[in-house]
Amino acid sequence: MADIKNLTKGLIKENPLFIQVLGTCPALATTTNAKNALGMGVAVIAVLVLSNIVISVIRKMVPNKIRIPIFIVVIASFVTMIDLLMHAFTYDLWKVLGIFIPLIVVNCVLMGRAEAFASKNGVVDSILDGIGMGGGYALALFVMGSIREILGNGSWLGLSFLPQAFKMYIFILPPGAFITFGILIAVINAINLRKEKIEKEKKKAGETK
Amino acid sequence: MRLLLIFISAVLINNFVLSRFLGICPFLGVSKKMDSAVGMSIAVIFVITLSSALTWFLNQLLISLGLGFLTIIVFILVIAVLVQFVEFFIKKTSPSLYQGLGIYLPLITTNCAVLGVALINSQQNYSFIESVVNGFSSAVGFSMALIIFAAIRERMEFSDVPAPFKGTAISLITASLLSLAFMGFSGLVKL
């Protein structure tokens, strides 16, 4: 049972981007359209799952004091592999994402999961955690990318459906990234606040009964 | 002349935080107070300038050995070691500076701006001096954005923000307005 929880918690409840606010740099830079966001998300899932596996396998051999440099080297090796693979097979995407693929190394999501989860748990749990957290991150990127592409370019995944007059170009530019991200976080906060309020009222009602 | 163009471009037009989206974590994290923003800025300028000089030599070495694919691993390790070294050095030579910068130095390793500058330098094939100038001016741009943002946030403490927007959300909206203002500089210089 615990296994399934490791997979699902990252998707919404502990979403790395919207709830924990980790890995914001690529989230703002690579979400100019849904396709780029998805590409970045898939790259992060791949690196996260692979590095979680290796870190969880070697967790008992690594001396506690130098664990962080070792984790960085593991993550950097996988990032290099993904970078070279993307260069070879998805050249256009590689060109658009630019330095943000190498910069996955310093993405706090990876280091955070290595430190908080993979270095303490077994291999299977770590794989599930990697898929869940990576999936949650990719989902968040995809949502942001979709919103920015629909509002800014009037298209979704390359299919354009809005006439020129409805396009708000600002959403593709840097300020649009900050606005979209800020409003999404505010919406999630508002939902959580309402949930808390309802729960409190329920408790009150229960007490008076 | 080219150096001046690189400087202006990195500070105003391709500002690290507001248009390239590098170093957002410290930008949101340490901008609550003016003092910490200034401390972080000085530490970042120092480390980025030093690391862009060092990584230039390493990049030349790796390329001449035909090991270009190792750049990511080598750069991140060198930056981590450099930050550690700078920390020791400052601790020994000037304890008062260490008191001020101490907490911010370890945080810099995970600042994507440092690795970002190193990678941009190697991608653009900058010469040694150009690399150092690019590193320094990117860091100055970062510091400028951080300090302006900290000043805004200090005033925002006293304003009445709607409940769902409290914290990160309103900071991001503020950053977007700041970024909009910086967009006014676009087209000022063409490299």
Side-chain angles (χ1 to χ4, degrees), chain A residues 24-25 28-29 72-73 76-77 80 99-100 102-103 105-106 108 170 173-175 177-179 181-182 185-186 189-190 193, chain B residues 18 20-25 69 72-73 76-77 109-110 112 115-116 119-120 123 163-165 169 172-173 175-176 179-180 183:
Chain A
T24 44
C25 308
L28 293 168
I72 290 183
V73 174
S77 327
T80 307
I99 65 166
F100 282 93
L103 284 180
V105 182
V106 279
C108 334
I170 187 80
L173 297 172
F178 285 111
I179 294 181
F181 194 28
I185 287 186
N189 281 347
L193 283 176
Chain B
L18 299 169
R20 276 197 177 139
F21 303 117
L22 293 168
I24 302 283
C25 304
F69 60 91
I72 302 172
I73 301 178
I76 186 75
L77 282 178
T109 317
T110 52
C112 43
L115 186 60
L119 290 168
I120 289 173
Q123 264 175 13
F165 276 94
L172 284 164
I173 306 277
S176 99
S179 154
L180 202 59
M183 267 184 62

Side-chain angles (χ1 to χ4, degrees), chain A residues 70-87:
Chain A
I70 291 179
F71 294 167
I72 290 183
V73 174
V74 171
I75 293 170
S77 327
F78 284 120
V79 170
T80 307
M81 287 179 210
I82 297 289
D83 188 35
L84 294 173
L85 281 174
M86 286 180 82
H87 190 180

